[in-house]
């Protein structure tokens, strides 16, 4: 795995020189990358020494230090430049890779940066999902928890709103009140009434119905339980004996 210095971690920027883009090819792409305005280029590398000595890039194999080489070319749009630390003609340590797409230079991310970025993206997505889910959660002490989504609000807006008639009282209350008023009217009948608004009240004549003697009224249960008389000649009713009035006794003083 390539080791990357934090000072050279330039993953968030890019560089391009529009004057070189039409003429880029594998023979001059390293020279294009070694422009002084390129922030990815290290001026203390061996390529700069070779350039000052007017030598070819083949002399890099005989030197020790940081160098840039063309690792891969896919003309005319893609070139990959590698930054490496040469320790001997046969031993090098990769430091970073840069890819050039249509003349624009980018730094290729290392494995640690890729894993860190993917992990942050996954955590951010999960956190956003939890935040959005919590925004739809509602709670009330009498109802408990429930979900209230935005599509429900849109459906409620689309549906025509029907106005409910507000009743002053419920059916149960009205029936109970009517029963109580009827009982009070029977117990305490009105003594005055007003024919028209603003006129003097007129007393009401209450007619008392004659009371039925209790002896003549027999309970319904006795009438139902008494068996009917067998058919035959009618018998005369037995005479009621005449009892004398009770004697008055003298009080003892």
């Amino acid at each position: 795995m390539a080791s990357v210095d934090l000072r050279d971690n330039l993953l968030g920027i890019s560089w391009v020189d529009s004057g070189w883009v039409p003429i880029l090819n594998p023979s001059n792409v390293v020279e294009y990358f070694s422009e002084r305005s390129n922030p990815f280029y290290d001026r203390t590398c061996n390529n700069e020494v070779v350039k000052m000595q007017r030598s070819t890039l083949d002399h890099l194999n005989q030197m020790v230090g940081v160098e840039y080489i063309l690792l891969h070319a896919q003309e005319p749009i893609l070139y990959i430049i590698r930054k490496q630390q040469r320790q001997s003609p046969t031993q090098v340590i990769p430091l970073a890779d840069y890819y050039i797409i249509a003349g624009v230079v980018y730094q290729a991310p290392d494995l640690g940066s890729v894993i860190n970025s993917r992990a942050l993206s996954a955590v951010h997505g999960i956190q956003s999902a939890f935040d959005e889910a919590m925004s739809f959660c509602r709670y009330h002490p009498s109802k408990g928890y429930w979900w209230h989504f935005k599509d429900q609000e849109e459906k409620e807006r689309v549906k025509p709103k029907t106005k409910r008639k507000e009743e002053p009282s419920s059916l149960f209350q009205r029936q109970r009140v009517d029963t109580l008023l009827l009982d009070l009217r029977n117990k305490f009948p009105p003594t005055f009434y007003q024919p028209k608004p603003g006129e003097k009240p007129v007393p009401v004549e209450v007619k008392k119905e004659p009371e039925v003697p209790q002896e003549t009224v027999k309970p319904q249960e006795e009438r139902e339980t008494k068996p009917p008389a067998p058919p035959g000649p009618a018998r005369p009713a037995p005479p009621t004996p005449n009892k004398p009035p009770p004697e008055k006794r003298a009080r003892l003083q």
Side-chain angles (χ1 to χ4, degrees):
M1 184 180 68
S3 61
V4 179
D5 190 358
L6 295 176
R7 293 173 298 178
D8 298 334
N9 191 3
L10 304 174
L11 299 176
I13 64 173
S14 61
W15 176 81
V16 62
D17 188 351
S18 57
W20 282 80
V21 175
I23 58 173
L24 275 181
N25 55 63
S27 60
N28 62 4
V29 66
V30 177
E31 185 179 356
Y32 167 66
F33 187 84
S34 61
E35 286 288 327
R36 292 183 177 273
S37 59
N38 184 6
F40 304 106
Y41 182 68
D42 186 3
R43 297 180 184 177
T44 61
C45 64
N46 294 338
N47 297 65
E48 194 70 15
V49 176
V50 170
K51 185 189 297 184
M52 294 176 62
Q53 294 177 356
R54 298 177 181 268
S55 301
T56 61
L57 297 178
D58 296 336
H59 290 79
L60 292 174
N61 296 335
Q62 307 300 326
M63 302 177 68
V64 176
V66 178
E67 63 183 21
Y68 295 91
I69 63 168
L70 177 62
L71 182 65
H72 176 75
Q74 185 177 345
E75 297 184 69
I77 191 170
L78 176 63
Y79 302 95
I80 298 177
I81 304 295
R82 169 163 289 183
K83 179 182 180 181
Q84 59 188 10
Q85 177 75 33
R86 180 171 291 278
Q87 296 181 349
S88 66
T90 59
Q91 185 179 3
V92 293
I93 300 175
L95 300 178
D97 290 336
Y98 306 90
Y99 54 94
I100 304 173
I101 300 178
V104 183
V105 182
Y106 306 91
Q107 181 175 347
D110 58 296
L111 183 59
S113 300
V114 172
I115 295 176
N116 188 22
S117 176
R118 296 297 177 89
L120 288 176
S121 300
V123 171
H124 176 71
I126 295 173
Q127 185 65 34
S128 300
F130 275 111
D131 294 341
E132 187 174 0
M134 289 299 297
S135 65
F136 298 134
C137 181
R138 300 290 184 272
Y139 174 76
H140 193 271
S142 61
K143 296 181 181 179
Y145 289 95
W146 75 94
W147 297 103
H148 185 74
F149 298 100
K150 295 181 180 179
D151 55 352
Q152 294 180 355
E153 297 180 358
E154 295 178 357
K155 291 180 181 178
E156 291 178 358
R157 293 176 183 176
V158 172
K159 288 183 180 179
K161 295 182 179 180
T162 56
K163 295 183 178 180
R164 297 181 179 178
K165 295 182 180 179
E166 296 182 358
E167 299 180 354
S169 61
S170 63
L171 181 62
F172 173 77
Q173 292 173 339
R174 290 197 301 272
Q175 289 180 352
R176 293 290 297 173
V177 170
D178 292 344
T179 304
L180 294 175
L181 290 176
L182 183 59
D183 292 342
L184 291 174
R185 184 174 176 275
N186 293 334
K187 291 180 180 180
F188 308 99
T191 56
F192 295 90
Y193 79 96
Q194 192 174 12
K196 293 182 180 180
E199 293 185 358
K200 186 178 180 181
V202 180
V204 179
E205 295 181 0
V206 180
K207 294 182 179 180
K208 295 184 179 180
E209 298 181 356
E211 296 181 358
V212 181
Q214 296 181 359
E215 295 180 357
T216 58
V217 179
K218 294 183 178 181
Q220 186 176 359
E221 295 180 357
E222 294 182 1
R223 292 199 300 262
E224 293 178 356
T225 55
K226 189 176 182 180
R235 297 178 181 180
T240 57
N242 295 326
K243 294 182 180 181
E247 295 180 359
K248 295 182 180 181
R249 297 180 181 182
R251 297 181 180 178
L252 297 176
Q253 296 183 353

